[in-house]
Amino acid sequence: MPDLLYPDLDTYRREVFAPEDDLLRGIMPAAVAQGLPKISVSPESGKTLYLLAKMIHARKILEFGALAGYSGIWLARALPPDGRFITLEINPKHAEVTRANYKAAGLADRTEVRVGPAVDHLQAVEQEAPFDLVFIDADKESYPTYLDFALGHTRPGGLIIADNANGHGHVHEALKEGDGPRGIQVYNERVARHPGLVSNILPVGGWLAVSLVL
Ligand code: SAH
Ligand code: MG
């Protein structure tokens, strides 16, 4: 048996490449204590979002689904000081927790949480377009709707990214309309075939579907 530096490869990968600072590490435990579900992206996915945003020099980012602000903090930290991050969140309690976390992270100046069903905000959000990066992580049945918006409002060279692209492990099944992950399956097929996108899955966390806008 070799001597192990880390208990397993996944722990090695996370601790070497996606270490969390105290603020990030505290977010989900505090959120869960307040009754929020534990469904944020993983540290590896957060670091991947940060890397991708940095790679395209993102200045303006739109997110669907804030929860407690965990993914938003990774993304907003990739912005320059005059950058802008808008997240759309249906649940007022989640929005409140998210705002407090952005403030604690020192990101209140560049972040904004808009409360309500995401579709109700799209007309107003359009005024802020084009975005450099759109991150989709809200209700899964609406992924195709959010993709339509992203396709119309992301700059060439920008990225459209969707979390949970493995459909909670069901995306390879023969799904029917109304099945939970069906929206993700439709989303994946559309971005994979779209002539204006180059897309692939980055299999971190529940998989990120990453699309470059040509
Ligand atoms: N991106 C977060 C996790 C988001 S969880 C992270 O990784 O840290 C999904 C969030 O989407 C939940 O907070 C949920 O309240 C929100 N949501 C669900 N349906 C929505 C809708 N129609 N519009 C906006 N937000 C929605
Ligand atoms: Mg998710």
Side-chain angles (χ1 to χ4, degrees), residues 56 131-134 154-160 197 211-214:
I56 61 160
F131 292 94
D132 301 299
L133 192 158
V134 176
T154 307
R155 68 153 162 98
L159 295 172
I160 303 170
L197 301 173
S211 301
L212 175 72
V213 179
L214 297 175

Side-chain angles (χ1 to χ4, degrees), residues 34-54:
Q34 293 180 81
L36 276 64
K38 197 180 163 196
I39 54 172
S40 69
V41 296
S42 65
E44 296 90 325
S45 295
K47 180 64 182 286
T48 302
L49 294 171
Y50 176 85
L51 172 65
L52 291 168
K54 281 286 191 198

